[in-house]
Amino acid sequence: MAKRIVWILLFALPFAGEAQKKSKPVFDRIEPAFWWVGMKNKELQILFYNKDTNIGDYDASLTYAGVSIKEKIKVENPHYLFLTLQIGEQAKAGSVPIQFKSGKKNFSVLYELKNKATAKNRIQGFNASDVLYLIMPDRFANGDVKNDSLPGFYQGVHRDQPFGRHGGDLKGIADHLDFIADLGVTTLWLNPILENNQKRESYHGYAITDFYKVDARFGSNEEYVALIEKCHARGIKMVQDMVINHMGNFNWLMLDLPEKNWVHQFPEFTRSNYRSEVVSDPYQSKEDLNKMTNGWFDYTMPDINQNNPLFANFLIQNTLWWIEYAGIDGIRMDTYPYPDRDFMARWAQEVLAEYPQFNIVGEVLVNSKPMVGYWQQGAANRDGYQSHLPSVIDFPLTNAINAGLNEKGSWDGGLARLYTTLSHDFIYPDANNNVTFLDNHDMSRYFHNMGRDMNKFKMGLVFLLTTRGIPQLYYGTELLMDGNYSIHPTVRMDVPGGWAEDKVNQFVRTGRSKEQNEAYDFMSKLLQWRKTKTVIHQGKLTHFIPEDNVYVYFRTKESETVMVLMNGNDHDMKVNTARFSECMKGKTSAQNVLTGETTQNMKEIMLPAMAAIILELK
Ligand code: CA
């Protein structure tokens, strides 16, 4: 009996193998893996890849109501085949059978078309009613030690290495949503969470190796969606950090490029000159522009050629896929001036055509208002360029805050820097849609820049959270982290308490110092107040030329008036309010937002040294 079973198995195995070969989907990659019916853009380009088969030699056909193959594209690498499907209005969700045939060989795959999700709180966009909270996922909290070191990944966890992976993950963020919600921020921006299976410094996330997959050391795609749903249920939005200028050199596409020109190739390694001004420079040389936009970001970060039409479509669809799949509310796009600028305009236009309620902020890392303004949708650029990008990251204002709070008052120094910088807002088509901030992962911590002075620290926060724009805070600001970017891992420190082995837990009051609780409470009070103040989100901004390093501005909307007074001196100041009458409109009393006190004397207001006060006028 036993012998017969063995005989049958031996005999049957080869047949089972043949059968499997015929029916098994033979692709190593199908990207996107699925799509949706009811999208405004009716075309879908699908990448099929098999690393061992000349799939490019196959013909493809399908029969499915409302769906047809518009184009079949074979590229120089025969391991790839690209199909462009036309998905008509009448197409219903379901599995589309696609037949592949080459001579006598044939097989089929089922390609899934889903219905779009209909939950109301997905894909909301973000605006000046929000405050973004930037988290470096590897450094916030380790919610799952099982994903720390995984087979198939070059890097595991080494917490002792400043440039190594520390083990933070999506579960760590999900576990600390109370801390985030209590602080009062409304939106998360995570540094990129897609796979970075690189040999070195993979923790920061900006060298993507799989455009369709969350890094397994952070969690799965499903965990990412679950985190977003959990956030949405609590009224917290999600902004996804994306990178389409470059990718990791271990990206699976790099290891077997569809076409050589999917990345910019040079006879020898050629680095970007990182000079963003070249792109908008009326006197630019072709040499400089070529290096700027086509040079590699680093040896490990090849430069994507967005002029390759297939890769261009791939990148746009990848963005749409993440929006529809995960329900994200916005995008922060990395290194905005570095990719081909016409492609970026097309990208933004197509994303916003599909999701008009969406918002996208682009990183234009320069200390120049005209250069940042150039990239915002609606800019009156002399060269006619229209970016279609709604929001830009406002580096010039950050620099003005960091300099101005550390200087004595003068014609253009001290708080006059804030005034002057905002007075140049005519350069921005929509300054209130700029993302404003005190620091981020690429610069010294704000508390460090304020010389660890708590009064200055608070004053800058009041300004950030009451002037125009969409404020962004960096995790750890509320814990008075004080890293110096000249030793740059120090600005990307782990939150104590995020790891089980940590001796203190700063996610809870009892684990924080008195000063840290003071910072957290101050920020929380301000952020919770800001949440419902449409006068801050949308109100008109009127400011007055600083006198004696005292800067006064108003936000007004209908009957609401908020007055902010900043004193940049190291002594108290008495402010006569006569010159502000156009905004005060005879109002005679006010409530101090931070202390709760009522002020009856509005003719003269006392300002403590190096402090800002917020008054709601009655
Ligand atoms: Ca982990």
Side-chain angles (χ1 to χ4, degrees), residues 25 32 84 113 131 142 159 186 218 268 290 292 341 372 406 411 436 465-466 479 506 542 593 603 607 615:
T84 307
L113 292 175
V131 176
N142 189 356
R159 257 188 108 192
T186 72
F218 289 147
E268 56 193 35
N290 180 46
M292 168 59 197
R341 65 175 192 167
V372 174
N406 284 307
W411 176 267
T436 55
L465 295 169
T466 57
L479 300 174
Q506 296 185 355
T542 307
V593 169
K603 290 204 169 105
L607 285 180
L615 299 174

Side-chain angles (χ1 to χ4, degrees), residues 117-413:
T118 52
K120 270 197 189 127
N121 54 3
R122 304 174 90 242
I123 318 175
Q124 300 168 80
F126 63 93
N127 56 43
S129 69
D130 290 304
V131 176
L132 277 57
Y133 184 71
L134 168 60
I135 290 176
M136 183 157 271
D138 183 57
R139 304 295 167 89
F140 192 67
N142 189 356
D144 182 3
V145 293
K146 290 195 295 298
N147 62 22
D148 285 2
S149 299
L150 293 173
F153 283 88
Y154 290 114
Q155 290 199 295
V157 162
H158 293 281
R159 257 188 108 192
D160 55 324
Q161 296 173 1
F163 292 97
R165 294 190 79 91
H166 290 189
D169 47 36
L170 298 179
K171 172 95 170 25
I173 296 166
D175 288 347
H176 293 96
L177 287 184
D178 282 344
F179 173 84
I180 292 163
D182 290 350
L183 184 61
V185 294
T186 72
T187 305
L188 296 184
W189 156 26
L190 312 181
N191 292 115
I193 42 86
L194 299 189
E195 187 193 89
N196 270 236
N197 193 6
Q198 293 284 107
K199 289 185 179 173
R200 291 175 62 248
E201 289 188 43
S202 65
Y203 75 96
H204 56 62
Y206 290 94
I208 293 167
T209 57
D210 188 332
F211 288 104
Y212 278 99
K213 203 168 168 200
V214 169
D215 195 299
R217 293 161 295 183
F218 289 147
S220 61
N221 283 10
E222 292 75 20
E223 274 181 272
Y224 181 50
V225 173
L227 170 64
I228 294 169
E229 285 172 354
K230 198 171 170 188
C231 285
H232 282 164
R234 305 190 60 145
I236 297 171
K237 299 175 181 178
M238 179 68 79
V239 168
Q240 183 163 328
D241 201 332
M242 289 191 175
V243 193
I244 55 182
N245 174 62
H246 49 269
M247 58 180 159
N249 59 329
F250 287 98
N251 190 301
W252 74 269
L253 289 165
M254 275 306 289
L255 304 179
D256 194 17
L257 280 171
E259 297 165 289
K260 208 161 167 266
N261 73 0
W262 274 43
V263 293
H264 288 111
Q265 306 280 359
F266 295 87
E268 56 193 35
F269 174 72
T270 301
R271 194 184 278 285
S272 174
N273 50 29
Y274 309 115
R275 297 291 290 249
S276 298
E277 62 264 47
V278 173
V279 185
S280 44
D281 177 1
Y283 315 115
Q284 68 185 196
S285 67
K286 289 192 182 93
E287 165 75 14
D288 291 343
L289 184 64
N290 180 46
K291 280 224 177 85
M292 168 59 197
T293 57
N294 300 346
W296 287 24
F297 208 72
D298 202 349
Y299 287 100
T300 57
M301 299 187 204
D303 192 74
I304 291 174
N305 177 13
Q306 298 88 8
N307 284 318
N308 177 298
L310 293 171
F311 209 174
N313 291 338
F314 177 98
L315 294 167
I316 292 169
Q317 286 181 180
N318 178 254
T319 301
L320 298 176
W321 190 89
W322 278 111
I323 298 170
E324 190 58 47
Y325 170 70
I328 55 171
D329 301 294
I331 288 170
R332 179 268 186 191
M333 180 51 81
D334 190 55
T335 45
Y336 213 85
Y338 287 72
D340 180 80
R341 65 175 192 167
D342 293 325
F343 166 78
M344 289 313 289
R346 181 190 153 202
W347 172 83
Q349 204 172 11
E350 292 198 18
V351 171
L352 293 166
E354 198 69 48
Y355 302 103
Q357 76 279 26
F358 205 63
N359 199 4
I360 306 167
V361 59
E363 181 206 29
V364 185
L365 209 174
V366 287
N367 189 26
S368 154
K369 287 158 276 197
M371 277 176 58
V372 174
Y374 178 87
W375 293 97
Q376 194 171 44
Q377 167 178 282
N381 294 324
R382 301 281 297 258
D383 62 6
Y385 182 66
Q386 270 308 326
S387 71
H388 299 284
L389 173 71
S391 173
V392 284
I393 295 186
D394 197 335
F395 283 92
L397 191 62
T398 308
N399 289 319
I401 297 168
N402 281 303
L405 295 186
N406 284 307
E407 289 170 336
K408 292 236 174 302
S410 67
W411 176 267
D412 52 5

Side-chain angles (χ1 to χ4, degrees), residues 72-93:
K72 184 198 120 178
I73 301 163
K74 181 182 172 175
V75 291
E76 67 194 33
N77 183 340
H79 299 158
Y80 290 85
L81 184 69
F82 292 84
L83 294 183
T84 307
L85 303 193
Q86 188 77 31
I87 303 169
E89 201 66 64
Q90 67 278 27
K92 296 248 180 338

